[in-house]
Amino acid sequence: MSASVARDSVSTLRDFALREVALSPAPSAGAHDLVFRRGRLVRVTLCERQPAAQPRLYASPGFWDGHLHLLHVGLARQRLDLSATASLEEALSALEAFARKRGEQSILWAEGWDESCWPEGRVPTAAEIDRVVPDRPVVLRRVCGHLAVLNTRALAGAAVRWPDLDPAGRLVEERAMGLSALWPPSPAEREEALREAQREALSLGISRISEMGSQGAVDAYLGLLKREELDLDVALHFQPSQFDLAARLQADGWLTRGRLTLGGIKIFTDGSVGARTAALREPYADGAGRGTLLYDDAELASLLARCVEAGFPAVIHAIGDAAIDQVLTQAGRVVADLGRPPRGWASIEHAELLTDAQLETVARLGVRLGLQPNFVARWGQPGGLYEQALGRERWQRMNPLRKIWEAGVPLLFGSDGMPMDPGLGLRGAVQHPMPEARLTVQQALAAYRGDRSEGALEWGPDPPWRLGSEHVVLFAGDPAEWAAGERGRAHVRGVLSRGRWVVPPDPDLFREGVIHED
């Protein structure tokens, strides 16, 4: 193929070879040649003559972000991002400037703030937001999504649904996460947000996601699927209130069409550490109570049983040790009543305060764990949010990644969009503040690729490169160096997914002789 190859021709290239590339993970040391026919891998061979220089390209399976709200990531890009603000006053100043720029916008959204990084160390109030934006509704949602603060105008609008709101403007849990139902984006805005977030995910080497749901997510994904614009493999999760919708879409074939599959029913049993709503056995260190269990035992057991009977995986948010206790107790009841469910029947998401005894029960019940090591990198460092909220002893026990790995429990990493960055999560796992909890670089990469999770059939650990595969991500650098923190980011130079180039390979790769058209 000539150096002047048209981009459209590159996008449709399906018979090609990758020459002298490094593989990650590698079945053997040295550079390899890979041959693809009709977008499928048909041959992997070790190069007879090894190049003297560092490999020009690294070929790798794509990352699987096992816990993500991709639509919300895209919508947040359309809103004010407060994640980099260093103080409450800076956040309010940014909001005031944003309001001036969006003079015609009827409601203002600001996302991503984290008061644990501010010297004030506290949440904004409605009165403070009124001071800078008195004339329009404003929603300030914390980075975790489990807490939001509204100004007076927004409180008046929300009071139509919830008349018992806190005058200080603070909403938590279902109300904080359900605000998009009061002021929904248009279908066109949702789909454009999803397209933009999809492009961002692919640029990070993410080729597969578990979409945990956002307001309007089902319609947005179906819209892209119908227009053949969905380039990621998506396991779509539904809220308990959408059980019948999930069953209908499954029966009608919409969730069995390759790109879009049924991930399960997403169940929230507690909140977040940052919002002080994660349910704990003992009170928070700063005297903020013990958090909140969102279901009583009978309700949770009934919902888990319904998932099992329908064949839908139960995907359960539980951060605090008390919430994990409740989930495991009720899961045990379901197993006792219905027998051992099929493999992959349930997962606990986050499980940050998992104890040794709970880990043994997880293994016995056949439950998967979905973990976010980027939370370790962001909030699990000495003096960070977790130590502030929980105290030193509990903070040191959080996220015992190596114990989980060594227990052989099915494990999958995700980001929860905080941020959607595999590099940060990989470093959180490899550089955990507790040395005894750290994973090796290759273990962390395997957990982020899905090698230790049910359903990860395309890229299994034995062998890592399966003939017939239709997926490969081309990196300019070694993903292992990214995971170890030795480089800022492994630049993506092409993504092949389901046999077609969803991110066309860099034309320079043809000039350099790395890609040959066959």
Side-chain angles (χ1 to χ4, degrees), residues 136-147:
R136 281 172 283 173
V138 176
V139 175
L140 264 62
R141 190 151 47 191
R142 193 180 184 278
V143 60
C144 63
H146 291 259
L147 187 155

Side-chain angles (χ1 to χ4, degrees), residues 421-435:
D421 179 0
L424 184 64
L426 292 167
R427 292 191 293 277
V430 172
Q431 301 172 8
H432 195 294
M434 299 298 111

Side-chain angles (χ1 to χ4, degrees), residues 65-69 210 212 266 349-350 372 413-417:
D65 194 319
H67 190 116
L68 186 60
H69 302 267
S210 297
M212 292 295 161
K266 176 67 183 298
E349 301 296 306
H350 311 305
Q372 289 65 50
F413 282 169
S415 71
D416 209 3

Side-chain angles (χ1 to χ4, degrees), residues 1 5-14 501 503-507 510:
M1 181 171 286
V5 63
R7 183 177 178 87
D8 288 346
S9 298
V10 173
S11 301
T12 57
L13 179 66
R14 303 188 72 204
W501 291 101
V503 176
D506 187 334
F510 295 96

Side-chain angles (χ1 to χ4, degrees), residues 467-492:
L467 299 184
S469 173
E470 301 176 294
H471 303 264
V472 66
V473 177
L474 307 180
F475 287 101
D478 188 351
E481 294 179 359
W482 191 17
E486 297 170 7
R487 65 168 59 238
R489 176 174 166 185
H491 179 64
V492 172

Side-chain angles (χ1 to χ4, degrees), residues 316-318 324 327-328 346-351 362 367-371:
I316 311 157
H317 169 117
I324 300 169
V327 170
L328 293 176
S347 70
I348 299 178
E349 301 296 306
H350 311 305
V362 164
V367 173
R368 189 185 78 187
L369 294 177
L371 306 180

Side-chain angles (χ1 to χ4, degrees), residues 228-304:
E228 299 184 347
E229 295 176 358
L230 189 59
D231 293 332
L232 294 166
D233 281 3
V234 179
L236 186 60
H237 292 69
F238 293 77
Q239 300 170 20
S241 62
Q242 297 175 310
F243 213 108
D244 292 340
L245 172 62
R248 186 168 66 252
L249 291 173
Q250 180 88 328
D252 291 345
W254 287 106
L255 302 178
T256 57
R257 301 192 179 195
R259 285 288 187 203
L260 197 61
T261 57
L262 175 66
I265 303 298
K266 176 67 183 298
I267 303 167
F268 284 93
T269 63
D270 72 346
S272 74
V273 173
R276 305 302 193 271
T277 52
L280 307 180
R281 293 174 176 175
E282 301 297 331
Y284 283 90
D286 56 9
R290 298 189 186 200
T292 307
L293 289 174
L294 302 179
Y295 284 90
D296 67 34
D297 290 350
E299 289 174 330
L300 181 58
S302 175
L303 183 53
L304 294 178

